[in-house]
């Protein structure tokens, strides 16, 4: 329960997470009862996320369509908990030169670091588009199992079929 509450407080301040979802649910309406019930459902493998809402918007400055998946605010709490677990396990394994997703390292820190490198003739900056659409879920879980020896974690959280979606076109 405390773990879910910490996840709730981490995402509560993110812009947009207090806006309503399809069923007018908002994060500010959380109760101790929900945390208890959800915690038990996750532990016994009966937790089922709500369907995601998918909208299509135009990418700024182009005619390309961008697909956005909007999850229930309560499911975002679960996702933040999973992210926190995975971050705790994998962040120490990242290179000291990894500047993505770290609160205490930014693009400015990366540039400052690169300027100190000697004999540098070029730098590559990558933006990987649509990569997550191609990830094989089974392979990903098998990779995670090399570092996480907790079948209950996989049974109750990662094996949930989250592909059921509500499609809403704007």
């Amino acid at each position: 329960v405390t773990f879910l509450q910490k996840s709730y407080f981490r995402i509560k301040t993110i812009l947009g997470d207090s806006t309503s979802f399809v069923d007018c649910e908002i994060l500010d309406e959380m109760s101790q009862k929900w945390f208890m019930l959800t915690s038990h459902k996750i532990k016994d493998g009966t937790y089922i996320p709500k369907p995601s809402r998918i909208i299509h918007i135009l990418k700024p400055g182009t005619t390309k369509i961008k697909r956005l998946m909007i999850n229930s605010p309560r499911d975002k709490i679960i996702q933040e908990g999973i992210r926190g677990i995975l971050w705790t396990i994998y962040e120490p394994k990242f290179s000291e030169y990894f500047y993505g997703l770290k609160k205490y390292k930014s693009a400015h820190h990366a540039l400052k670091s690169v300027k100190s490198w000697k004999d540098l003739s070029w730098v590559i900056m990558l933006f990987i588009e649509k990569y997550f659409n191609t990830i094989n879920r089974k392979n990903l879980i098998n990779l995670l199992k090399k570092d996480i020896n907790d079948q209950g974690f996989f049974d109750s959280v990662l094996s949930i079929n989250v592909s059921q979606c509500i499609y809403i076109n704007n």
Side-chain angles (χ1 to χ4, degrees):
V1 175
T2 303
F3 181 72
L4 286 177
Q5 289 170 325
K6 286 181 181 179
S7 298
Y8 163 70
F9 287 115
R10 279 196 302 268
I11 67 165
K12 185 178 174 195
T13 57
I14 296 173
L15 183 63
D17 281 334
S18 61
T19 58
S20 64
F21 184 63
V22 176
D23 57 3
C24 299
E25 169 184 42
I26 61 172
L27 283 180
D28 292 337
E29 298 172 351
M30 305 304 297
S31 69
Q32 184 67 22
K33 182 180 176 183
W34 180 86
F35 288 111
M36 294 287 290
L37 183 62
T38 303
S39 178
H40 290 294
K41 285 182 177 183
I42 291 171
K43 287 177 186 174
D44 67 19
T46 61
Y47 172 76
I48 299 172
K50 290 188 176 187
S52 298
R53 183 175 73 166
I54 294 181
I55 61 171
H56 295 90
I57 61 170
L58 284 175
K59 285 187 174 183
T62 71
T63 58
K64 293 182 179 181
I65 301 287
K66 182 177 183 176
R67 180 178 176 250
L68 291 178
M69 184 178 293
I70 302 169
N71 296 312
S72 158
R74 294 177 187 224
D75 289 337
K76 288 181 182 183
I77 295 169
I78 310 300
Q79 293 168 350
E80 173 59 22
I82 294 168
R83 187 211 57 81
I85 291 168
L86 296 176
W87 184 259
T88 300
I89 294 167
Y90 290 102
E91 193 275 337
K93 297 178 181 202
F94 294 155
S95 164
E96 65 180 289
Y97 302 107
F98 175 72
Y99 290 89
L101 308 173
K102 292 189 175 185
K103 291 180 184 176
Y104 51 89
K105 287 190 174 183
S106 67
H108 295 288
H109 292 106
L111 289 172
K112 187 175 179 181
S113 176
V114 168
K115 286 181 179 180
S116 70
W117 295 355
K118 296 182 189 231
D119 301 323
L120 179 69
S121 57
W122 48 271
V123 174
I124 298 174
M125 184 176 102
L126 297 173
F127 177 76
I128 301 172
E129 187 174 348
K130 295 186 180 179
Y131 173 73
F132 292 105
N133 299 344
T134 65
I135 294 174
N136 181 302
R137 184 180 177 93
K138 184 178 177 182
N139 289 345
L140 174 62
I141 290 173
N142 286 334
L143 283 172
L144 294 173
K145 285 183 177 181
K146 290 179 181 180
D147 295 308
I148 303 171
N149 187 17
D150 184 352
Q151 189 58 43
F153 176 78
F154 294 105
D155 290 343
S156 64
V157 180
L158 294 179
S159 64
I160 295 170
N161 183 359
V162 294
S163 61
Q164 298 172 347
C165 300
I166 297 172
Y167 288 90
I168 298 174
N169 290 311
N170 283 359

